[in-house]
Amino acid sequence: MADNQIVENSNETIAPETENAELAVTADSSVAENSKKSGKFVAGVKEWFRKLIVKLKRKTQLIPLALTLITSFVFLCMIGTFSQLIQINSGISSLGICMFVSTLASILVLPLFLNAFPKNKKPVIAFIVAVFVVFALIIAMDVIFLVNMQTFFAKHDVSSKAFYNESQTSLIVHIVLVGICVLSFAFLPLYKKAINKINTKKVVSSNDFSDEIDTSAEV
């Protein structure tokens, strides 16, 4: 009887320890899986950035091109505000022609930019100069638009200034964006050198053979 009681007591104490051990192993495995997934995600993000830097090393002009594309898209979204301003206040001079020229130039600058950097060829100086000329034309049209609009509302006692503040803010934002595009295009050679200095070499783990190679069987 005493032996049976000892065996039963020993079984009662061993069972919870075994169950706790299984739970600990399960928890460790889940933590390992989560850490492995997070490690893969971080590695994937790093690889994506590495490939992006490699692409920018070869085609650094994509940076000002992307900025120009965003600026043109933003201006096209502003056309609705400008059109409503002109419709309500028809006495403002040169607004229609300024908006037309800015719209046309915002679209024209994109193919000029692409032709300035042909594939596998040197940049074309003529198209680069044309891009700067178009940028200057866009800024000039925005300034004329802004000055004429402000002059009109200052001289005339207009009861309703509908779309005036919105148009003024939009013009200032557009001028700033075009200025950023001009700077990014002008300083392209400088930050191209900085990007080329970034180390994008992929580290490959090598197998080190510490054992000596037996060449006694060679003929």
Side-chain angles (χ1 to χ4, degrees):
M1 292 295 290
D3 294 337
N4 292 334
Q5 290 178 354
I6 292 171
V7 170
E8 290 177 358
N9 291 333
S10 63
N11 290 333
E12 291 177 357
T13 55
I14 292 172
E17 293 178 356
T18 305
E19 186 175 353
N20 292 334
E22 292 177 354
L23 291 173
V25 171
T26 304
D28 292 339
S29 62
S30 62
V31 171
E33 289 179 358
N34 292 332
S35 62
K36 187 181 291 185
K37 289 180 180 179
S38 63
K40 287 182 179 179
F41 176 77
V42 173
V45 172
K46 289 182 179 179
E47 181 64 17
W48 183 82
F49 276 108
R50 189 191 70 83
K51 290 180 179 179
L52 178 63
I53 297 297
V54 171
K55 189 172 184 179
L56 290 178
K57 282 184 176 182
R58 298 174 181 174
K59 299 179 179 180
T60 315
Q61 67 272 13
L62 290 177
I63 296 175
L65 177 61
L67 293 174
T68 304
L69 180 62
I70 293 171
T71 302
S72 298
F73 177 76
V74 170
F75 180 77
L76 293 178
C77 294
M78 295 174 178
I79 290 178
T81 303
F82 299 148
S83 300
Q84 289 173 325
L85 175 73
I86 296 173
Q87 183 180 2
I88 296 173
N89 305 282
S90 59
I92 308 175
S93 62
S94 304
L95 291 196
I97 188 66
C98 288
M99 190 177 68
F100 173 76
V101 173
S102 294
T103 304
L104 186 62
S106 297
I107 299 172
L108 179 63
V109 71
L110 296 174
L112 289 176
F113 203 114
L114 294 175
N115 289 324
F117 298 94
K119 189 176 181 180
N120 298 328
K121 293 181 181 179
K122 293 182 179 181
V124 182
I125 304 298
F127 284 109
I128 292 176
V129 174
V131 170
F132 280 111
V133 171
V134 173
F135 279 143
L137 180 63
I138 293 173
I139 294 176
M141 292 297 104
D142 286 347
V143 171
I144 294 173
F145 194 126
L146 182 61
V147 171
N148 289 346
M149 181 180 64
Q150 290 175 344
T151 303
F152 176 83
F153 281 96
K155 289 182 177 180
H156 298 81
D157 187 12
V158 181
S159 58
S160 176
K161 290 188 177 182
F163 303 102
Y164 171 74
N165 294 327
E166 294 86 349
S167 299
Q168 185 177 15
T169 304
S170 298
L171 285 170
I172 294 173
V173 170
H174 187 237
I175 292 172
V176 171
L177 289 177
V178 175
I180 293 173
C181 293
V182 172
L183 292 177
S184 65
F185 193 47
F187 292 104
L188 176 61
L190 294 180
Y191 59 81
K192 181 178 178 66
K193 293 180 181 179
I195 293 175
N196 288 333
K197 291 181 180 179
I198 300 175
N199 186 12
T200 55
K201 293 181 180 179
K202 191 172 182 180
V203 179
V204 180
S205 57
S206 59
N207 296 324
D208 295 330
F209 295 96
S210 59
D211 297 336
E212 295 182 356
I213 300 175
D214 187 8
T215 58
S216 58
E218 292 182 0
V219 178

